[in-house]
Amino acid sequence: MSDNRYDYIIVGAGSAGCVLANRLTEDGQYKVLLLETGGSDKSIFIQMPTALSIPMNTKKYAWQFETEPEPFLDNRRMHCPRGKVLGGSSSINGMVYVRGHARDFDEWESEGAEGWNYQQVLPYFKKAETWVFGGDDYRGDSGPLGVNNGNNMRNPLYKAFIRAGVDAGYMETGDYNGAQQEGFGAMHMTVKNGRRWSTANAYLRPAMARSNLTVVTHALVHKVLMDGKTATGVRYEQSGKVKEVAASREVILAAGSIGSPHLLQLSGIGRRDLLENAGIEVKHELPGVGENLQDHLEFYFQFRCNQPVSLNRKLDWWNKLKIGVRWILRKDGLGATNHFESCGFIRSKAGVEWPDLQYHFLPAAMRYDGREAFDGDGFQLHIGHNKPKSRGFVHVQSADPKQPPRIRFNYLEHEADREGFRDCVRLTREIINQPSMDEYRGAEIQPGVDVQSDEQIDAFVRQAVESAYHPSCSCKMGTDPLAVVDPETRVHGVRNLRVVDSSIFPTIPNGNLNAPTIMVAERAADLILGKPPLAAPDASVVMDAQWQARQRPGQAKRPMA
């Protein structure tokens, strides 16, 4: 064992790990080591918001995981990129800032995550952020994470989409991260002064000036070292050399929903038969490790646009060059936004208590990675059913840490998930058919007007749906037989070992996962340090009082096509 001893070792400098590195070194009392497999995030393609598709699809910055053939998606293998760079997935994601619905966190507590209900997590959301319009009962005004609305919906298509939602009888929301998620409104993003505001920029960079924080990059962690049922340190490899470091207090895994369960399994913690088949000595049997895997799916609903206002006009090399030069010189313009500036959260049917469908609106028609645009103007909606019942797994295949795990989400295995996507198609057509979209709405490109029946919709979805890149829940928090960590984020049955990242979510929230992952790390830091919890406010939540009887509050101006 090396003489380099630390109080805490954090594995993974991602959305959670950077938060922990900052908070655990704040008072100077503890010596902390942060290990990251990737390298620097100082790339224009990471820092410029509009370039978001590049780092996600670059091996240098992201693990390019691929699922096994998904049996309910016509055996397609699905792309599952995860951050491999300082900032982790917050350095490669779409920068969309969605906390989730208040009831998502009440659901966590009902699943056994005591102390993680909405009222108790809200103070940590506030602690993390500085909302561009200032703080209130729901929003923070002095946190590390900058949050804004990009270019404030200057493109007319954004507001037309919001008006169409209201035309269709849905609510409008002034702040979906505040009292009322349900409805249509402006979308928020983690961008500050025109730059991607990852957790590396927000949390890690300020902390790196502290003498009690050591950051080691290009370090592939092989396993957690154990003395009986106690975690004592980690073994990692850097530049071909294997090293061991000790933690006198705790080892904290923040390697994400693929990396953390895989690392537990490599360390001999997990399901006995799985570990034995992989040639790994069982140190602690914990059957839930790698189970309960969840994700969001989405597809692109695309239309031609009848007015010359879409971003399809900005996709040629000359316009891209101008956008890039302006961003380099001024950090503003189209280079300073992720282009998802309006959104919607709706319920798929009566009897659904809180929203389970989410819209990201984009004033262009293209793939998420920027490919396959077409000539002319267009717009699209990313739409998905966000409360899936299907469950998958992350399973170690070998004792070799360089061999990726088996990943399968079992997407759309559950009939309720297939029903949710049928609702996505039919409800979206009705929204876009409203008067507010009349001057912009052209022909439907995808799915296409011939896709109408349940069978046709199901076939389209199986072929067109893509991951929204929100893997989670694979080391769930709780007290049931499949729970991996307790409500204090400690691994059941193992001393001095925690998991703090999106893998410990009991269920996936209705929204993008960067914001709740940061919240989890903020609250976990207080738990680790033994601090009293932040005072829970009495924050009301606006919901449709008649949710049991109706799918939306109002009547559509134009009936469903």
Side-chain angles (χ1 to χ4, degrees):
M1 186 76 69
S2 166
D3 292 333
N4 293 327
R5 295 184 65 87
Y6 298 87
D7 294 298
Y8 296 101
I9 297 174
I10 303 166
V11 179
S15 295
C18 290
V19 176
L20 293 169
N22 183 301
R23 297 306 188 192
L24 297 184
T25 58
E26 240 173 350
D27 64 6
Q29 182 178 355
Y30 298 113
K31 188 178 178 184
V32 175
L33 173 65
L34 177 64
L35 297 171
E36 168 56 44
T37 306
S40 171
D41 62 333
K42 292 181 179 179
S43 162
I44 187 174
F45 299 120
I46 289 176
Q47 300 300 327
M48 182 166 62
T50 195
L52 61 94
S53 67
I54 296 174
M56 180 178 292
N57 293 285
T58 302
K59 288 183 178 181
K60 179 179 180 180
Y61 301 125
W63 298 99
Q64 301 297 325
F65 292 122
E66 193 175 64
T67 71
E68 293 187 332
E70 290 287 347
F72 305 95
L73 294 184
D74 294 342
N75 289 317
R76 294 165 56 204
R77 291 183 181 270
M78 303 292 281
H79 186 213
C80 183
R82 296 288 83 205
K84 188 177 63 173
V85 62
L86 291 179
S89 292
S90 76
S91 288
I92 69 166
N93 68 1
M95 292 156 284
V96 175
Y97 184 81
V98 182
R99 293 175 174 180
H101 195 277
R103 289 289 187 269
D104 289 322
F105 305 103
D106 296 340
E107 181 179 71
W108 284 12
E109 187 161 70
S110 73
E111 290 274 327
E114 184 179 353
W116 292 85
N117 64 50
Y118 176 65
Q119 300 296 336
Q120 289 172 292
V121 303
L122 177 57
Y124 291 96
F125 279 119
K126 293 181 64 177
K127 180 181 181 181
E129 75 169 353
T130 293
W131 173 226
V132 69
F133 297 118
D136 56 25
D137 289 345
Y138 301 88
R139 304 305 298 260
D141 60 5
S142 56
L145 196 68
V147 183
N148 67 19
N149 179 239
N151 283 328
N152 299 315
M153 300 192 295
R154 291 177 189 169
N155 189 299
L157 286 165
Y158 291 122
K159 293 179 180 178
F161 173 64
I162 295 171
R163 291 193 301 269
V166 176
D167 288 348
Y170 298 99
M171 295 185 280
E172 185 171 357
T173 177
D175 182 359
Y176 65 82
N177 283 313
Q180 178 190 326
Q181 186 192 64
E182 186 168 357
F184 288 74
M187 182 160 258
H188 312 156
M189 63 188 74
T190 49
V191 172
K192 181 178 180 181
N193 298 327
R195 295 174 62 203
R196 173 193 290 272
W197 215 237
S198 64
T199 56
N201 284 332
Y203 287 89
L204 183 59
R205 203 138 280 121
M208 288 175 76
R210 300 170 188 159
S211 60
N212 59 326
L213 175 63
T214 301
V215 179
V216 177
T217 56
H218 305 293
L220 176 67
V221 175
H222 288 191
K223 65 192 299 186
V224 177
L225 300 172
M226 305 277 290
D227 181 5
K229 299 287 186 177
T230 301
T232 60
V234 301
R235 179 180 298 158
Y236 70 94
E237 180 179 339
Q238 184 189 44
S239 302
K241 295 181 180 180
V242 176
K243 306 177 182 181
E244 293 185 351
V245 284
S248 61
R249 298 182 70 88
E250 291 183 342
V251 175
I252 306 166
L253 303 186
S257 290
I258 306 301
S260 286
H262 188 219
L263 192 50
L264 286 173
Q265 292 164 349
L266 287 169
S267 307
I269 302 170
R271 214 176 75 197
R272 178 174 293 275
D273 64 323
L274 188 65
L275 301 181
E276 290 176 345
N277 288 339
I280 297 170
E281 181 186 354
V282 179
K283 298 285 189 177
H284 178 63
E285 189 169 6
L286 197 58
V289 173
E291 307 303 318
N292 194 50
L293 180 65
Q294 299 169 44
D295 189 18
H296 290 147
L297 287 172
E298 64 180 14
F299 68 88
Y300 312 149
F301 217 122
Q302 297 180 325
F303 293 84
R304 290 192 176 271
C305 183
N306 290 334
Q307 299 294 328
V309 296
S310 80
L311 296 181
N312 286 73
R313 295 173 169 266
K314 305 292 185 181
L315 297 177
D316 61 279
W317 72 269
W318 174 241
N319 274 293
K320 285 183 176 179
L321 177 63
K322 289 194 295 182
I323 290 167
V325 169
R326 176 172 174 172
W327 183 84
I328 290 169
L329 296 175
R330 298 171 50 179
K331 299 296 185 291
D332 66 2
L334 291 176
T337 176
N338 63 10
H339 306 294
F340 295 111
E341 296 185 19
S342 65
C343 63
F345 298 88
I346 65 174
R347 293 176 294 113
S348 58
K349 54 178 64 71
V352 173
E353 186 179 2
W354 69 93
D356 59 339
L357 305 184
Q358 178 184 4
Y359 289 102
H360 301 64
F361 183 84
L362 183 68
M366 67 182 79
R367 286 175 53 90
Y368 193 82
D369 58 14
R371 296 178 299 178
E372 297 188 16
F374 62 91
D375 293 334
D377 286 277
F379 61 87
Q380 72 188 36
L381 303 89
H382 295 210
I383 172 66
H385 175 248
N386 272 8
K387 298 297 289 184
K389 294 185 181 297
S390 302
R391 300 291 184 264
F393 58 78
V394 177
H395 286 172
V396 68
Q397 297 190 82
S398 163
D400 179 1
K402 296 178 182 178
Q403 183 169 341
R406 294 173 55 218
I407 304 167
R408 191 166 78 205
F409 290 91
N410 289 316
Y411 292 121
L412 301 186
E413 177 183 24
H414 201 287
E415 173 62 19
D417 300 347
R418 298 191 287 271
E419 289 178 2
F421 273 94
R422 294 171 203 147
D423 294 330
C424 287
V425 172
R426 293 181 173 123
L427 294 173
T428 302
R429 282 185 173 138
E430 183 184 16
I431 291 165
I432 300 302
N433 192 46
Q434 294 304 312
S436 290
M437 293 299 294
D438 282 354
E439 67 174 302
Y440 302 111
R441 182 184 59 254
E444 181 180 314
I445 302 168
Q446 182 176 285
V449 293
D450 56 329
V451 177
Q452 295 288 339
S453 68
D454 286 358
E455 293 75 18
Q456 290 169 330
I457 293 172
D458 289 351
F460 163 76
V461 168
R462 287 195 301 272
Q463 282 298 310
V465 79
E466 297 183 9
S467 171
Y469 310 124
H470 300 161
S472 54
C473 310
S474 53
C475 295
K476 70 173 290 189
M477 175 167 44
T479 56
D480 64 274
L482 283 183
V484 175
V485 302
D486 68 13
E488 301 279 313
T489 74
R490 300 170 299 201
V491 174
H492 285 295
V494 180
R495 290 178 292 275
N496 300 345
L497 180 61
R498 296 185 196 246
V499 181
V500 179
D501 54 35
S502 62
S503 72
I504 71 171
F505 296 0
T507 56
I508 193 168
N510 178 42
N512 309 66
L513 299 193
N514 194 42
T517 302
I518 292 168
M519 175 277 291
V520 161
E522 284 278 19
R523 189 167 188 274
D526 276 2
L527 293 170
I528 292 165
L529 294 172
K531 293 184 176 181
L534 296 179
D538 185 16
S540 61
V541 179
V542 177
M543 301 177 67
D544 183 0
Q546 299 182 50
W547 62 269
Q548 291 175 308
R550 64 188 184 186
Q551 183 259 334
R552 72 193 91 172
Q555 180 65 40
K557 290 185 178 179
R558 188 172 293 167
M560 187 177 294

